């Protein structure tokens, strides 16, 4: 015997809800049948046809981010409230559920990661597409060299008013959208040059090469980051846009909303 029996019993005692992260249909059906508390599925797609479902915009590889997204979504969708004790079950290795985590929903610092995707002006799929381009750039760089990039997403009219052009806008008269594979290649290509990309609520590429000029006083960004991140944070406080930034210096992807850093991820982990 491992001696862990008591710990495991305590883990599952008196829980109010179960969160299943990307379960198989078989696991979902067994658990839903046997559970006397609500079972909420958190996944990129509702392939199991769950009644209680929270859509993940990406499979956060950082487990804490994944759980945080689920918690914030659960509260927003009113499946749970802050006192709820939750058992999170997920698969981290080959297949089947191999990990359980017990957590009280209120113990989580609310970062706004769910709001960022779901309650932003821009459509969630647009934010996801931008994030995918940025993660792709972060992984490969441009021709093998690390590259930085700044995407401002949503509230494009106001963002354009608070910025100026650094160069000819290659997207001037085009009606192209992020998520189109050809456009994503163009975005990666243009990311070598200075300034920000401005994307509309519906994903239209409004401009490249924008120099952002938001009011920056009072915007706090982590130490060590420079003007690109400052501009990204500040534009999201000055407008209803969000910003997704790839740092050329540390290779991390960061998202800002309402002037705050919402999350940070390492593209190499995706
Ligand atoms: N206000 C701005 N609007 C748009 N782009 C900007 C702005 N300020 C800086 N940048 C872009 O960010 C680039 C890097 O600047 P800087 O090194 O100061 O930023 P950083 O936050 O340290 O980012 P990185 O981690 O990528 O180095 C600049 O070359 C420029 O292309
Ligand atoms: Mn820098």
């Amino acid at each position: 015997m491992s001696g862990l029996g008591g710990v495991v019993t305590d883990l599952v005692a008196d829980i109010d809800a179960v969160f299943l992260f990307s379960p198989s249909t078989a696991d979902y059906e067994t658990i839903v049948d046997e559970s006397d508390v609500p079972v909420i599925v958190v996944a990129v797609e509702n392939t199991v046809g769950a009644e209680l479902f929270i859509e993940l915009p990406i499979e956060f590889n950082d487990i804490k981010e994944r759980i945080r997204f689920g918690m914030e979504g659960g509260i927003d969708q009113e499946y749970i409230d802050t006192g709820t004790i939750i058992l999170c079950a997920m698969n981290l290795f080959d297949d089947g559920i191999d990990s359980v985590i017990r957590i009280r929903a209120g113990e989580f610092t609310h970062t706004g990661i769910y709001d960022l995707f779901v309650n932003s002006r821009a459509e969630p799929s647009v934010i996801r597409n931008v994030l995918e381009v940025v993660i792709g750039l972060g992984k490969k760089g441009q021709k093998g060299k690390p590259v930085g990039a700044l995407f401002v997403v949503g509230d494009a009219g106001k963002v354009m008013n608070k910025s100026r052009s650094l160069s000819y806008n290659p997207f001037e008269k085009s009606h192209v959208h992020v998520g189109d594979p050809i456009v994503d290649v163009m975005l990666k290509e243009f990311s070598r040059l200075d300034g920000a990309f401005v994307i509309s609520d519906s994903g239209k590429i409004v401009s490249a090469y924008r120099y952002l000029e938001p009011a920056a006083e009072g915007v706090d960004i982590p130490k060590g980051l420079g003007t690109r991140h400052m501009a990204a944070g500040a534009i999201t406080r000055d407008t209803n846009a969000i910003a997704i930034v790839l740092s050329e210096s540390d290779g991390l992807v960061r998202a800002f909303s309402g002037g705050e850093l919402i999350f940070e991820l390492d593209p190499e982990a995706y």
Side-chain angles (χ1 to χ4, degrees):
M1 293 293 276
S2 65
L4 283 171
V7 174
V8 176
T9 312
D10 287 350
L11 258 185
V12 297
D14 303 322
I15 54 164
D16 301 313
V18 171
F19 273 43
L20 289 181
F21 288 79
S22 313
S24 68
T25 305
D27 280 341
Y28 172 68
E29 283 172 359
T30 316
I31 292 165
V32 150
D33 279 351
E34 290 177 11
S35 175
D36 42 24
V37 297
V39 175
I40 297 143
V41 169
V42 187
V44 173
E45 265 184 85
N46 191 1
T47 50
V48 301
E51 225 171 278
L52 307 178
F53 176 67
I54 296 164
E55 184 183 337
L56 274 182
I58 50 169
E59 282 282 1
F60 294 98
N61 274 358
D62 182 325
I63 294 158
K64 281 194 182 172
E65 288 303 348
R66 201 188 297 170
I67 294 177
R68 191 193 301 283
F69 191 92
M71 297 290 115
E72 294 186 14
I75 289 168
D76 193 85
Q77 290 176 220
E78 297 181 355
Y79 293 155
I80 58 169
D81 56 48
T82 50
T84 308
I85 296 174
I86 293 151
L87 193 74
C88 299
M90 63 184 80
N91 155 249
L92 297 181
F93 294 95
D94 283 347
D95 31 38
I97 290 169
D98 53 18
S99 313
V100 291
I101 293 165
R102 177 192 177 93
I103 181 157
R104 185 186 293 272
E107 276 161 15
F108 249 82
T109 5
H110 190 270
T111 60
I113 192 168
Y114 183 84
D115 279 358
L116 177 91
F117 282 97
V118 180
N119 301 328
S120 287
R121 287 199 29 151
E123 290 161 26
S125 64
V126 170
I127 299 174
R128 183 174 58 215
N129 286 336
V130 171
L131 197 56
E132 274 167 8
V133 169
V134 175
I135 288 172
L137 259 179
K139 270 193 174 146
K140 293 206 189 78
Q142 247 300 329
K143 318 225 150 51
K145 277 208 210 127
V147 64
L150 165 48
F151 287 79
V152 186
V153 188
D155 207 6
K158 207 155 171 203
V159 172
M160 291 300 278
N161 285 335
K162 295 207 177 255
S163 60
R164 70 171 79 186
S165 175
L166 288 170
S167 174
Y168 152 78
N169 174 17
F171 296 98
E172 177 75 56
K173 291 214 169 64
S174 66
H175 286 272
V176 296
H177 287 73
V178 62
D180 174 334
I182 295 165
V183 177
D184 290 357
V185 170
M186 290 165 76
L187 290 174
K188 288 180 183 167
E189 195 58 39
F190 291 129
S191 65
R192 259 178 307 150
L193 297 138
D194 271 348
F197 292 100
V198 178
I199 316 275
S200 79
D201 295 342
S202 64
K204 182 182 179 300
I205 323 283
V206 177
S207 186
Y209 307 136
R210 291 303 282 191
Y211 183 73
L212 307 175
E213 298 182 304
E217 64 270 21
V219 175
D220 254 345
I221 56 158
K223 294 255 169 323
L225 298 173
T227 56
R228 186 187 339 255
H229 293 82
M230 181 59 82
I235 195 77
T236 72
R237 205 192 47 180
D238 248 17
T239 68
N240 290 312
I242 63 133
I244 298 179
V245 192
L246 171 63
S247 166
E248 185 175 347
S249 48
D250 68 13
L252 298 182
V253 173
R254 294 180 177 84
F256 295 86
S257 173
E260 309 275 338
L261 174 66
I262 304 294
F263 71 86
E264 198 170 86
L265 61 83
D266 181 353
E268 297 298 342
Y270 285 79

